[in-house]
Amino acid sequence: MNSINHVAIIMDGNGRWGLEHFKSRNRGHKEGIKTIEKIIKESIKHNIKFLTLYAFSTENWKRPKKEINYLFSLLEYFLKKKINDFIKENIKLKIIGKKFLFRNIFKIINFCENKTKNNTKLQINLALNYGSKSEIIDAIKLLNKNKIQITEKKISENLYTKNIPDPDILIRTGNTHRLSNFLLWQLSYTEIFFVKKLWPDFNEKDFTKIVNTFRYSKRNYGKI
Ligand code: IPE
Ligand code: IPE
Ligand code: MG
């Protein structure tokens, strides 16, 4: 049976859900928060140590300003609402991505990271302003600058995800089969699950089903 350390999720489909139910993409983003809360709880039940959530890609800046502003106000609301729970439940929050965001968000993010940095039950990596290609380029630039020889190990150690094991499972909801510039290096041997449901419809049962399928899957790593 495979053990599970790390689950990464591309939470896709909020916009379509919102349009379908309330004629508003933003309403879908709001609904998506509830799924995040459910999946955090379920991850703890399964004793998963790392949960990485793709919240905003470097490409998402191409969206209308109104939607971007709403997404960041939602993020602020979420962090303010959850910080006490994170502290109480021994959850560590880490941001992966380029952190030059709006000033007020930057403050609350740093506050949450600092307050939870010694927590050990579950580490939530929030991918924010995240792009995998630029992450890899930055790592290589840093190695070059410090005249360090480029090896797999050294690249891994210089990504935003240093000290985080590669994901065992990647889930993408929203019925779209692509990676959208997410963890390209780290997903080399990850088991990938594409889910038809839109993110706000995804639930604990769907998550558990994937976890159980993974536990009994055969991971070859090139062997037979
Ligand atoms: C994913 O949902 C959430 C973010 C990118 C922030 P989308 O907003 O991409 O939803 P769809 O894919 O348009 O339905
Ligand atoms: C990926 O979803 C990014 C996040 C979930 C944050 P997108 O909806 O932005 O991906 P594309 O543009 O359809 O590939
Ligand atoms: Mg999408």
Side-chain angles (χ1 to χ4, degrees), residues 89-103:
E89 288 164 30
N90 198 11
I91 294 172
K92 173 175 173 175
L93 182 80
K94 184 180 162 59
I95 304 300
I96 58 170
K98 282 202 204 294
K99 274 199 196 168
F100 53 85
L101 297 162
F102 307 125
R103 201 168 288 269

Side-chain angles (χ1 to χ4, degrees), residues 12-13 16 63 172:
D12 198 22
R16 277 165 284 164
R63 294 188 178 202
R172 180 172 188 143

